Amino acid sequence: MDIKTQLDVIREELEKELASLTDIRQLEEVRQKVLGKKGTLTALLRSMGSLSPEERPIAGQMINKGREEIGQMIDARMADLKAKEREEKLRKDTIDVTEPRELPRVGVPHPTSLALEEVLSALTGLGFDVVEGPEVELDHYNFELLNLPKDHPARDAQDTFYVDDNIVLRTHTSPVQARTMLSRKPPIRIACPGRVFRADEVDATHSPVFHQIEGLVIDKDVTMGDLKGTLDTLFKKLYGDDIETRFRPSFFPFTEPSAEVDLTCITCRGKGCRMCKGTGWIEVLGCGMVNPKVLEMCGIDSNEYRGFAFGIGLERITMLRYGIKDMRLLYEGDERFLRQFR
Ligand code: DAH
């Protein structure tokens, strides 16, 4: 067979193989079979040695041209296969965005947070600023400045967690009052929500960690009537116009006079139920006119200014708001309970 015929045979053979092969690996094998060290074209090139010196250049030219063509055929097929492979991959990796799937689990706000949100938005609606203070507090702010000196018997009523002689876990949010009076000039109107701590036992109505919202108003002609009016408005706004407040005389070292405030039971609207032990009223806060001694200790002239303050127990309000009978449910983090407050 002459060189040209042999080249034609190789090319024809290659065409058939290229048409039938289906992947890149097979194509690489075919390339080796033709152009590799033991390939058919390589063999043809070697056979040139037996040709006469006159025939050689012509044969050489032919083979080189053939090799170029063969290379192009293989490259073209390679490009073709690669394109197909890419297309296949894209097809396989397609995401069906309409396919149903499991929904991500989204958290829900805690009922205490919901109740807090409600009270704070009512208070800010009445012109109160929200102010926060530290949970680990100096004895000085938690007690001293609130007219509870070291030997004061009322300190015992607050089962305090002491960090050391001068540092406590705050037993109420009232220290934020003192901090604010020292740092702002009157008029002052603030609401201070936060976590408080007492070495209490755990039962359906007690927890060593709970929450309060402190309110403080300082201005020139503030009276007990303003206090009563503010609380009345607040609770009517929160729970409805049929809700009333009732003041009972009480004692707190930081207020004079002091009162404890009952609210028409928001569960039974005053008829009497389990939540209010049949009385129709529930105790929700302590309050009073800021003791002039406290004003003075906190740098406010008690001849010029007066103030009132109150401290709301948040858990109490939350439980009433949602008819929760056991406070422990608020701390256990049981999902079956929490998911009901979506
Ligand atoms: N700090 C008091 C407590 O934890 C609650 C309280 C009573 C706060 C009277 C006040 C207040 O601001 O005027 O029991």
Side-chain angles (χ1 to χ4, degrees):
M1 260 199 280
D2 63 13
I3 300 272
K4 186 173 174 308
T5 314
Q6 289 190 62
L7 268 174
D8 284 345
V9 169
I10 292 174
R11 212 184 284 119
E12 263 169 48
E13 181 82 353
L14 177 65
E15 251 163 32
K16 264 191 247 156
E17 287 194 85
L18 289 182
S20 67
L21 62 80
T22 53
D23 66 43
I24 291 174
R25 221 191 39 147
Q26 289 172 325
L27 178 59
E28 285 302 342
E29 273 167 25
V30 169
R31 193 202 293 273
Q32 286 301 314
K33 228 169 92 184
V34 182
L35 300 175
K37 266 191 198 147
K38 293 181 183 156
T40 45
L41 195 87
T42 317
L44 191 59
L45 207 57
R46 285 212 185 98
S47 73
M48 272 173 42
S50 62
L51 295 178
S52 67
E54 303 85 61
E55 287 171 316
R56 242 180 254 162
I58 305 161
Q61 253 178 11
M62 243 181 334
I63 294 173
N64 275 337
K65 196 160 154 270
R67 181 158 65 178
E68 211 170 281
E69 276 172 23
I70 284 167
Q72 279 166 2
M73 284 162 76
I74 292 173
D75 289 347
R77 185 71 174 118
M78 179 63 91
D80 183 44
L81 285 175
K82 280 196 171 147
K84 282 222 179 78
E85 198 177 68
R86 220 175 116 247
E87 229 169 78
E88 176 74 3
K89 190 167 177 324
L90 284 175
R91 201 180 50 75
K92 264 204 248 153
D93 292 352
T94 308
I95 295 165
D96 178 2
V97 293
T98 66
E99 194 176 314
R101 64 188 180 107
E102 214 177 286
L103 289 172
R105 290 162 69 78
V106 177
V108 295
H110 193 278
T112 310
S113 299
L114 292 174
L116 173 65
E117 235 0 271
E118 250 177 27
V119 176
L120 282 188
S121 89
L123 281 169
T124 49
L126 292 173
F128 286 73
D129 282 348
V130 177
V131 174
E132 288 181 305
E135 291 172 1
V136 180
E137 184 57 287
L138 290 170
D139 183 290
H140 185 63
Y141 294 108
N142 195 80
F143 292 127
E144 298 280 338
L145 288 181
L146 297 171
N147 194 30
L148 275 148
K150 279 235 149 71
D151 52 358
H152 199 289
R155 274 200 184 200
D156 299 342
Q158 308 212 355
D159 306 291
T160 311
F161 286 113
Y162 281 89
V163 176
D164 63 28
D165 279 354
N166 299 312
I167 301 173
V168 301
L169 299 188
R170 68 177 174 192
T171 57
H172 49 184
T173 42
S174 304
V176 190
Q177 281 187 28
R179 287 177 169 274
T180 307
M181 285 188 263
L182 285 165
S183 65
R184 289 195 191 187
K185 286 208 153 52
I188 292 171
R189 210 180 290 153
I190 54 159
C192 325
R195 198 176 279 148
V196 300
F197 309 84
R198 293 200 195 167
D200 243 340
E201 49 203 300
V202 175
D203 62 28
T205 54
H206 293 89
S207 160
V209 182
F210 56 105
H211 298 80
Q212 292 184 336
I213 306 166
E214 190 82 11
L216 173 72
V217 173
I218 310 269
D219 211 336
K220 287 203 165 129
D221 304 302
V222 173
T223 68
M224 195 91 179
D226 295 319
L227 170 59
K228 167 90 171 148
T230 301
L231 293 176
D232 250 8
T233 309
L234 172 67
F235 289 112
K236 278 189 172 28
K237 209 171 143 173
L238 277 172
Y239 307 122
D241 281 339
D242 57 327
I243 299 294
E244 290 181 28
T245 55
R246 179 172 82 173
F247 279 49
R248 281 181 288 105
S250 183
F251 173 80
F252 299 102
F254 30 93
T255 42
E256 184 58 41
S258 305
E260 255 159 350
V261 174
D262 299 336
L263 204 62
T264 312
C265 177
I266 56 185
T267 306
C268 63
R269 320 303 289 190
K271 284 202 233 22
C273 67
R274 254 189 71 182
M275 297 300 277
C276 59
K277 300 202 180 86
T279 64
W281 295 97
I282 31 127
E283 189 194 320
V284 288
L285 62 88
C287 66
M289 299 306 292
V290 180
N291 192 323
K293 267 201 209 163
V294 172
L295 290 177
E296 292 294 336
M297 280 191 283
C298 295
I300 290 179
D301 183 351
S302 63
N303 292 314
E304 198 181 352
Y305 289 102
R306 280 165 209 287
F308 66 74
F310 54 88
I312 303 175
L314 182 56
E315 274 71 9
R316 210 63 197 295
I317 300 258
T318 307
M319 290 168 75
L320 289 163
R321 176 76 174 75
Y322 296 108
I324 299 163
K325 298 198 173 68
D326 192 322
M327 199 190 276
R328 286 168 287 201
L329 286 166
L330 294 176
Y331 304 103
E332 281 165 354
D334 188 327
E335 257 198 284
R336 292 165 301 179
F337 167 75
L338 295 173
R339 293 218 158 259
Q340 298 173 58
F341 300 91
R342 227 173 248 286

